[in-house]
Amino acid sequence: MPQNLDAVAVRAWCRLALDALGRAREEIDSINVYPVADGDTGTNLYLTVESASQAVDAAFTGHEPALPSLAETVRAMAHGALIGARGNSGTILSQLLRGMAQVLAGPAGGQEGGDFSADAPGDADHVDAPTLALALHRAAESAYEAVAHPVEGTVLTVATAAARAAGAAQGADCATVAEAAYEGACAALDATPGQLAVLGRAGVVDAGGRGLVAVLGALVRALSGGTVAHRAADGGHARVSAEEGAECEEAPAEGGGPAFEVIYLLEADDGAVARLRTRLDRLGDSLVVVGGDGLWNVHVHVDDAGAAVEAGVEAGRPHRIRITHFGADDVHTTPRPPRERTQRAIVAVVPGEGLAGLYAEAGATTVPARVGEPPASGELVDAIRRAHAHEVVLLPNDAELRHTAAAAAQQARTEGVRVALIPTRSAVQGIAALAVHAPDRPFDEDVVAMTSAAGATRYGELTVAERQSWTMAGICQAGDVLGLIDGDVAVIGSQVAPTATAVLDRMLSGGGEMVTLVLGESVPDSVAGRLEKHVRETYLAVDTVVYRGGRQSALMLIGVE
């Protein structure tokens, strides 16, 4: 049902945008040719929105059992995007979100996230369609202000078209305004190859603009509860004929540009930042400075990376300094450990301390999966770095982490690590993959064997329903034990052991040689004994192995190989 924009809708928007960018990440990376053809725009946008989404989730967690206000939510979104912004397009996107927040947060701003204006009532629990249109206008305006030398045919053009279309739709509800902005953005994106020569010759649309279309499509879905006719989802926006770019603007930053991308957060006052802009503009190009209220995100392409960092030191306190050399697959953030790299390592996301120990005994570097707090891509990248190997096999062990893991793998590859992502959907599939891991055989062969083992393992899970809900197995009530098979609810019961038995019977009806049970902390050993006995007496030649998941683990995980 269409609704006004409130805190819950903003949270849904962030989550849907993250999912949309995860699905479009590889496509956007593949069409990234401006300002530098470094193939990372999709990944950078994903990481930027991931940071925004995590900040919003933290705001909700901090107010439980109540809800944060709209102002608090959009400030969190803007602040999260600011501190997590990556690359040229990610930095601009963070400013777009900040510009929206300046309107949506109203006069209660000026705190965490920046100097928010009085364009909307700060204590309102929602905003209406005209205010959303005004927020989109301010977003485009502030993004242009943040870029030292704006170029048409980029995400800036797409944002302006979206704001113009939203303004023309005022008088409708928020969902209609968002739909108008989305359609306006789509039309502008299609026109970018005719505005920027490098896009026309490559036969692609602007990558940053393509990402913004995905974000706006997510806003439509968050406000309408439906779907959009996402013309970009199948790559329809991505490539155009080269002839379309024949008569278009030549961008000064195309080809033969600076050697380094420099990004850092900066604590400084407005006057110092104004001077910094002037100095960095002389040093390089693609200068974008976003933020306010003492905290800024600085992005610039230069030949002298040291001079760009030195300018930041003179302006204030730079931190999270990141320098990327465009001519090499090597990113420097901190000095690398002097120890020699191992040849191959396993990195796995693991729910529960008991399973973490099991994986560690098998030689894996583990990332904890806490209930309700899935790891971010940065945690996975850090784990890959800790593994300190030339080759890494990444096991996400959760279907919901597929986009996060893909972004982490891409980031690690830019640091010179060969990463293979095996799309394991459960820790029991990861156990099956670990069982056939052989570090002495060629990397590709090892990955194929592990992928095959994981894919041959059906996975089940027991959990407790939190509320009444419709499921594929019927209506469940709060407190019911739910038995899931391959991610779908298949059994609804009242007790753990009978529900687990029913799940096992369904999983073994198609055959199997090995059952793996991972018991949560609250499940007694007697349940494991009962299940082992049932398998032994009912299914000939089927072995059962039992592990303890420990704290933070699921109620029960079941694997059938």
Side-chain angles (χ1 to χ4, degrees):
M1 174 177 290
Q3 62 181 74
N4 287 322
L5 185 64
D6 58 14
V8 173
V10 170
R11 188 186 201 185
W13 177 29
C14 289
R15 290 179 171 182
L16 288 167
L18 189 63
D19 179 70
L21 287 171
R23 286 184 280 107
R25 182 187 60 79
E26 291 186 0
E27 174 207 326
I28 297 173
D29 282 346
S30 73
I31 62 172
N32 174 200
V33 297
Y34 179 83
V36 176
D38 49 357
D40 62 358
T41 291
T43 299
N44 288 336
L45 289 171
Y46 179 89
L47 296 173
T48 302
V49 173
E50 181 185 53
S51 181
S53 184
Q54 289 173 341
V56 169
D57 285 343
F60 271 75
T61 300
H63 282 79
E64 289 179 344
L67 295 176
S69 68
L70 173 62
E72 290 166 329
T73 303
V74 295
R75 286 187 205 120
M77 174 185 71
H79 184 73
L82 174 68
I83 64 174
R86 301 288 290 271
N88 187 69
S89 293
T91 306
I92 293 173
L93 178 61
S94 76
Q95 188 69 358
L96 288 167
L97 297 178
R98 176 183 171 77
M100 290 189 69
Q102 287 176 330
V103 174
L104 301 176
Q111 302 171 20
E112 180 184 45
D115 50 342
F116 295 100
S117 69
D119 292 318
D123 59 350
D125 61 0
H126 68 270
V127 296
D128 56 13
T131 305
L132 175 57
L134 181 62
L136 290 166
H137 172 77
R138 177 57 191 148
E141 185 179 64
S142 63
Y144 266 96
E145 293 169 354
V147 178
H149 301 285
V151 174
E152 296 305 321
T154 64
V155 63
L156 298 176
T157 308
V158 176
T160 299
R164 188 179 299 118
Q170 288 192 50
D173 59 27
C174 282
T176 303
V177 168
E179 178 73 32
Y182 171 78
E183 292 296 338
C186 287
L189 180 64
D190 287 339
T192 56
Q195 296 173 297
L196 200 54
V198 63
L199 301 179
R201 285 196 295 272
V204 299
V205 298
D206 178 66
R210 168 66 181 89
L212 180 58
V213 164
V215 171
L216 289 173
L219 179 60
V220 175
R221 293 193 292 277
L223 290 171
S224 67
T227 60
V228 294
H230 203 348
R231 291 174 285 161
D234 59 0
H237 273 304
R239 300 193 179 274
V240 297
S241 62
E243 288 78 6
E244 292 182 48
E247 300 292 334
C248 49
E249 175 184 353
E250 189 71 39
E254 177 196 354
F260 297 96
E261 177 185 60
V262 179
I263 305 174
Y264 49 79
L265 290 177
L266 178 69
E267 296 177 20
D269 60 40
D270 291 3
V273 170
R275 294 188 294 273
L276 175 66
R277 288 179 190 267
T278 301
R279 181 169 177 184
L280 291 180
D281 195 28
R282 296 194 190 106
L283 285 175
D285 59 35
S286 297
L287 173 61
V288 184
V289 181
V290 302
D293 195 35
L295 181 63
W296 309 81
N297 191 305
V298 179
H299 170 281
V300 67
H301 294 173
V302 293
D303 282 319
D304 190 343
V309 174
E310 181 183 349
V313 172
E314 293 181 4
R317 188 178 79 86
H319 51 104
R320 294 198 189 183
I321 300 169
R322 186 175 185 85
I323 301 172
T324 304
H325 191 288
F326 290 127
D329 293 330
D330 191 19
V331 179
H332 299 280
T333 51
T334 56
R336 291 189 174 180
R339 63 189 176 94
E340 187 174 334
R341 288 180 180 270
T342 59
Q343 183 59 34
R344 189 175 307 161
I346 307 295
V347 172
V349 179
V350 183
E353 296 177 354
L355 277 182
L358 175 67
Y359 272 74
E361 287 178 8
T365 298
T366 62
V367 179
R370 299 167 292 275
V371 177
E373 297 180 39
S377 58
E379 293 180 71
L380 301 187
V381 173
D382 287 342
I384 292 172
R385 290 172 181 152
R386 292 199 313 273
H388 204 57
H390 295 289
E391 302 165 338
V392 169
V393 178
L394 179 58
L395 306 175
N397 290 340
D398 187 340
E400 297 300 317
L401 288 178
R402 62 191 186 282
H403 298 322
T404 300
Q410 178 62 26
Q411 177 60 40
R413 291 179 189 119
T414 69
E415 301 181 12
V417 182
R418 187 181 183 188
V419 182
L421 170 60
I422 297 179
T424 49
R425 299 182 178 186
S426 170
V428 291
Q429 288 188 323
I431 291 173
L434 274 177
V436 301
H437 168 53
D440 294 333
R441 65 183 162 201
F443 185 64
D444 290 338
E445 291 182 14
D446 198 25
V447 170
V448 169
M450 294 177 71
T451 302
S452 297
T457 302
R458 299 190 69 193
Y459 63 96
E461 179 180 348
L462 262 60
T463 187
V464 177
E466 296 182 355
R467 63 184 67 87
Q468 184 185 66
S469 178
W470 286 89
T471 75
M472 294 186 66
I475 300 176
C476 69
Q477 306 295 329
D480 282 348
V481 179
L482 305 181
L484 288 76
I485 298 176
D486 295 336
D488 295 321
V489 177
V491 179
I492 300 175
S494 59
Q495 296 181 350
V496 172
T499 306
T501 301
V503 170
L504 271 172
D505 286 340
R506 293 199 182 194
M507 295 179 71
L508 286 168
S509 64
E513 299 175 354
M514 169 74 73
V515 170
T516 300
L517 301 176
V518 181
L519 307 184
E521 188 176 28
S522 64
V523 179
D525 291 336
S526 59
V527 171
R530 178 174 170 177
L531 295 176
E532 284 185 282
K533 180 181 179 182
H534 175 73
V535 172
R536 183 171 60 252
E537 295 179 350
T538 310
Y539 303 96
L540 297 177
V542 176
D543 296 323
T544 303
V545 59
V546 180
Y547 301 107
R548 274 288 176 184
R551 290 194 306 139
Q552 298 291 330
S553 67
L555 182 62
M556 185 182 299
L557 298 176
I558 302 172
V560 173
E561 303 175 46

